[in-house]
Amino acid sequence: MTWQGIIGQDDIALQFAKANERRRLAGSFLFVGPQGIGKRSFAFALAKTLLCQKQNKFSNNSPNLLDSFVPCNLCESCRCFDISSESKIPLTISSLKRSKISLSSQKKAAKTEQAKKNNAAETSFSDKNKVVVPLHPDFFYVCKPDDKSLLPLELLIGEKENRLQSGLCYNISKTPYLGKRKIAIIDDADYLNNEGANALLKTIEEPPFDSIIILIGTSSAKQLPTIRSRCQTIRFHSLDEKNLASLLLEKNYVSDWEQGLRLAQESDGSIVRAIELTDATLDSFRLELYQSLLRLPFNSVEFAIRLNEFVDSAGKEPILRRNRLRMILTMGLEFYRNLLYSFEEQFLNSLPDKLQPFYRQARSKTTDIMTVVRMSDETIKALEQIDRNVNLPYIVDLWLNNLSHLN
């Protein structure tokens, strides 16, 4: 069974269904797992289900509890949740008035709000991953804008002149408008700094009555201890290769099953990574990258010029170039990780046929495993610099220079 079309996470959905049936849902959750495996989609589906005005009236006589743990799609709450999907209006924190507003006037209000804030940081995330946030008076969502290195404090507790009178913490404290519950999602929790975490502490430690707060990150290790200790951690697993291949084929990202399975094997269960690998230019550059990493020590200046040219070819928008460099560095990190694992013949044989020669050759040249570990560390540092908005050519030059001096 696939709960609400979200592949591979039925066991987590069942946990929430059981907790909801027993009226024992926690107040704050931390969703962690690799990028592109459905954490955000699951959080949105869960929010719609828990906000549904008829959910608690459903009969749970079904032999499968998940059959009844679904939204009705008919009540006012469900219709509000679907408005943005129908009209393609992206919003972060709903700015609807607390007075009673008809569904048609909500659409009009949303269009006006979007026109006013088209270039604001609050809505700039709409370019990232094409997120469409539901227009619901009891649902609140924030994430890191693409042009920021951290999750802005203003999205959590309001601008300086209206501190604690706007923002997610303020909105979640209000009385529910449509039902008996409010839900907030804080995406990109990996990018909370100490100031942002401190602003959230009281809210996530003692959420308002019948409120649920969900933070989404990639790893519990990336969360500040004060956040981890106050949330129930829910770990999402990478998608099964066959399920991911089926999904890619169903969504027409690949032309046949073989291509879908190959991309699934090379993407660590992440549909975002798999879709990125459908770019033939990126896929072919990976082989060029591997060949260059095999030639260490190499002319770092020469390869830096080639790598920067490829990054710039992604497009004029900075976010496109940053995403491409992030993908390249992730490929480099994967190369070193697989190189370490390749000393086990069983793992080496499990790799795609076209990649096995690279790792056999690299393994024959590797005499010091700790050197590979240090190269992995340098690649991780370069990835972290991308998230801090460091100049891209500087990241490339420093990364390749450090690698060339390690061998």
Side-chain angles (χ1 to χ4, degrees), residues 127-358:
D127 294 328
K128 180 187 70 175
N129 300 328
K130 307 295 183 184
V131 180
V132 178
V133 179
L135 181 61
H136 192 295
D138 297 327
F139 178 81
F140 312 101
Y141 175 89
V142 295
C143 74
K144 182 183 76 68
D146 288 330
D147 60 347
K148 302 290 185 182
S149 59
L150 295 170
L151 193 65
L153 184 65
E154 292 74 18
L155 293 179
L156 303 175
I157 57 175
E159 301 285 348
K160 288 184 179 180
E161 58 272 20
N162 295 311
R163 194 57 45 99
L164 300 178
Q165 297 180 19
S166 63
L168 182 139
C169 293
Y170 173 80
N171 287 331
I172 199 72
S173 70
K174 295 298 181 181
T175 303
Y177 172 64
L178 285 180
K180 297 181 179 180
R181 179 180 278 149
K182 302 179 297 299
I183 296 179
I185 294 177
I186 302 173
D187 210 342
D188 300 318
D190 293 353
Y191 303 101
L192 275 170
N193 61 5
N194 285 319
E195 189 178 20
N198 289 333
L200 278 175
L201 287 185
K202 182 174 177 59
T203 302
I204 64 174
E205 186 173 21
E206 299 178 5
F209 180 71
D210 275 346
S211 294
I212 293 175
I213 300 173
I214 300 172
L215 292 86
I216 303 176
T218 57
S219 168
S220 57
K222 289 187 176 182
Q223 313 308 316
L224 295 168
T226 50
I227 295 294
R228 287 200 307 267
S229 64
R230 289 166 172 80
C231 296
Q232 180 178 335
T233 300
I234 306 294
R235 301 183 186 281
F236 285 70
H237 304 294
S238 298
L239 299 179
D240 175 82
E241 289 178 358
K242 292 183 178 179
N243 283 335
L244 179 53
S246 298
L247 186 59
L248 291 170
L249 189 60
E250 177 187 337
K251 301 296 183 181
N252 296 318
Y253 287 114
V254 295
S255 57
D256 54 59
W257 169 259
E258 288 71 21
Q259 182 188 11
L261 189 59
R262 178 179 66 82
L263 293 180
Q265 291 171 340
E266 297 173 3
S267 60
D268 289 333
S270 167
I271 189 169
V272 170
R273 176 85 185 277
I275 292 172
E276 289 174 332
L277 288 176
T278 59
D279 182 347
T281 59
L282 188 62
D283 195 31
S284 63
F285 186 83
R286 177 171 58 170
L287 299 180
E288 183 179 344
L289 174 68
Y290 286 0
Q291 289 171 338
S292 297
L293 296 179
L294 274 174
R295 290 197 299 268
L296 285 173
F298 57 75
N299 187 331
S300 62
V301 176
E302 181 180 325
F303 187 60
I305 294 173
R306 168 66 182 124
L307 203 159
N308 280 317
E309 288 176 349
F310 185 70
V311 169
D312 289 342
S313 69
K316 294 182 179 180
E317 294 295 324
I319 184 61
L320 297 177
R321 297 196 296 272
R322 301 191 86 84
N323 284 343
R324 173 161 286 187
L325 181 55
R326 181 181 288 108
M327 192 65 187
I328 292 169
L329 290 172
T330 301
M331 289 175 177
L333 186 60
E334 180 184 53
F335 175 83
Y336 292 125
R337 184 199 64 181
N338 288 345
L339 179 55
L340 288 172
Y341 290 154
S342 68
F343 286 90
E344 293 289 337
E345 194 68 23
Q346 183 178 0
F347 174 82
L348 188 59
N349 292 333
S350 70
L351 294 172
D353 292 341
K354 71 175 183 179
L355 296 182
Q356 290 186 26
F358 287 101

Side-chain angles (χ1 to χ4, degrees), residues 86-104:
E86 295 170 0
S87 54
K88 304 301 180 186
I89 302 171
L91 292 174
T92 49
I93 302 175
S94 174
S95 60
L96 294 175
K97 301 293 184 182
R98 305 300 294 181
S99 57
K100 191 171 183 179
I101 304 176
S102 67
L103 295 181
S104 60

